Amino acid sequence: MLTIAIPKGALLSDAIKLFQSIGLDFSAFLDPKNRQLQITDPTNTAKALLVRATDVPVYVEYGQAQLGIVGYDLLLEKTPTVANLANLKFGYCRMSVAVPASSPYKSPVELPPNGKVASKFVNCAKKYFHTLDLPVEIIPLYGSVELGPITGMSEAIVDLVSTGRTLKENGLIEIDTLFESTAHLIAHPLSYRLNLDQINPWVTKIRDTLS
Amino acid sequence: MLTIAIPKGALLSDAIKLFQSIGLDFSAFLDPKNRQLQITDPTNTAKALLVRATDVPVYVEYGQAQLGIVGYDLLLEKTPTVANLANLKFGYCRMSVAVPASSPYKSPVELPPNGKVASKFVNCAKKYFHTLDLPVEIIPLYGSVELGPITGMSEAIVDLVSTGRTLKENGLIEIDTLFESTAHLIAHPLSYRLNLDQINPWVTKIRDTLS
């Protein structure tokens, strides 16, 4: 049976809508009382695993799910060994550099070479500042990255921005965008090639909904 | 002013009780409507930062907080450069190896050498299996580690257990304990030594509540 890894959080409802549009109903995951982490669709065609967004590429990489939905940001940050099959267009956000509105730094290249940047996306941030040839120190935080500049621990942050509300509430402004991100359909490379007959019809149906 | 990093989640209410018992009131963090991430106690003596448990050692390491409260499990997993001042005794849990109740493996050494173990605590798990001289592969997961054995991705998990309810609900049983964990009081080593007069009275008061 086809197994699909679906991320909890921001991409969940759009992911479930997408699969409904190709005949696979996993809407039980949207029930607030649901505690199940794996369900089979009512037609008994496919199984879905409900996992943390960060864990989706892990389940796909290890072949426990043949398909998965994941934000492009996580593909760039974790560089998992998965096949990137389609840009699903939903879940738009951008990876931005932000500083306090009162900051003297109006552009990333103005940041001091010994400066500090807080981020959950350590690899993306490192690569970006490496490209700018700016040897800042990346401070790895797991939550509330905006506290970095507020407490004075860092001059800037690199974080995902969707509506911009969190930045605004914390007096931060964007000074550059690293990249834009949307949800992507990924597959386990080997099982995709070996089970093309089983998996490809679903991938084609998904691609058809995008055009 | 003294700044203290306090972890969200399981240790929060006991941490706030501890500081109340030495005259510092940060109970505003317990108000479900609270959105503030830093507050000063009513006597204007100390400031508290409310951060993710994983981020507490980061704020202390970078000197943004002179003191912090963190689970021993995170000290072992992240090995931050902080001074470990006191075992606060609350927040008991244990790091355990667990397998499905139906598993043929009744002890960690029976796990196959090419076996897979899912864990959020990759470093603790690696060190433990290295000591056993068992070359298992550690699969890094960020949430719902119990899905590892359920989906067949891993033979076992290494995870924190407090009541054991999650394991039971998922048909898993503990077969070994790596270590026991409680909350610890940590400090920024340099600022602790340089500001001994300012910080030590508080540390002494906290130690006095323990005896």
Side-chain angles (χ1 to χ4, degrees), chain A:
Chain A
M1 192 187 291
L2 182 71
T3 302
I4 304 161
I6 294 181
K8 294 179 184 178
L11 302 179
L12 179 61
S13 68
D14 279 330
I16 282 171
K17 259 186 238 159
L18 173 74
F19 288 112
Q20 275 176 326
S21 74
I22 61 163
L24 297 173
D25 183 10
F26 302 120
S27 58
F29 280 153
L30 293 176
D31 181 347
K33 278 175 288 180
N34 169 62
R35 287 203 62 176
Q36 284 188 287
L37 298 176
Q38 50 180 345
I39 52 175
T40 305
D41 95 291
T43 66
N44 224 13
T45 315
K47 197 168 75 177
L49 303 176
L50 182 64
V51 302
R52 279 258 195 127
T54 328
D55 291 342
V56 166
V58 180
Y59 281 90
V60 173
E61 226 180 331
Y62 281 89
Q64 292 312 117
Q66 287 85 50
L67 294 175
I69 288 185
V70 66
Y72 185 59
D73 55 299
L74 281 175
L75 291 182
L76 290 188
E77 177 64 20
K78 302 280 178 188
T79 58
T81 312
V82 296
N84 183 353
L85 298 184
N87 178 350
L88 301 173
K89 310 270 175 74
F90 63 79
Y92 169 83
C93 51
R94 55 191 181 273
M95 190 70 78
S96 291
V97 189
V99 296
S102 59
S103 167
Y105 313 114
K106 303 298 174 204
S107 137
V109 289
E110 294 176 16
L111 288 169
N114 58 343
K116 293 191 180 71
V117 177
S119 187
K120 289 173 207 161
F121 298 87
V122 171
N123 296 323
C124 291
K126 270 187 189 160
K127 200 176 157 191
Y128 168 78
F129 284 102
H130 183 76
T131 310
L132 293 182
D133 205 12
L134 200 62
V136 299
E137 182 177 358
I138 310 297
I139 302 178
L141 287 183
Y142 289 82
S144 306
V145 176
E146 59 277 9
L147 258 183
I150 290 174
T151 61
M153 183 162 63
S154 74
E155 279 85 15
I157 64 171
V158 165
D159 206 12
L160 274 186
V161 180
S162 51
T163 63
R165 196 184 144 202
T166 307
L167 290 187
K168 208 171 176 181
E169 284 181 347
N170 289 285
L172 299 169
I173 51 165
E174 291 170 79
I175 56 170
D176 199 12
T177 298
L178 282 69
F179 56 83
E180 299 188 322
S181 175
T182 49
H184 279 238
L185 179 70
I186 59 170
H188 182 258
L190 192 64
S191 91
Y192 181 56
R193 265 178 244 128
L194 292 178
N195 302 292
L196 215 55
D197 294 349
Q198 192 209 348
I199 301 175
N200 225 14
W202 295 108
V203 175
T204 307
K205 278 184 196 174
I206 289 173
R207 285 198 176 119
D208 287 347
T209 69
L210 300 171
S211 50

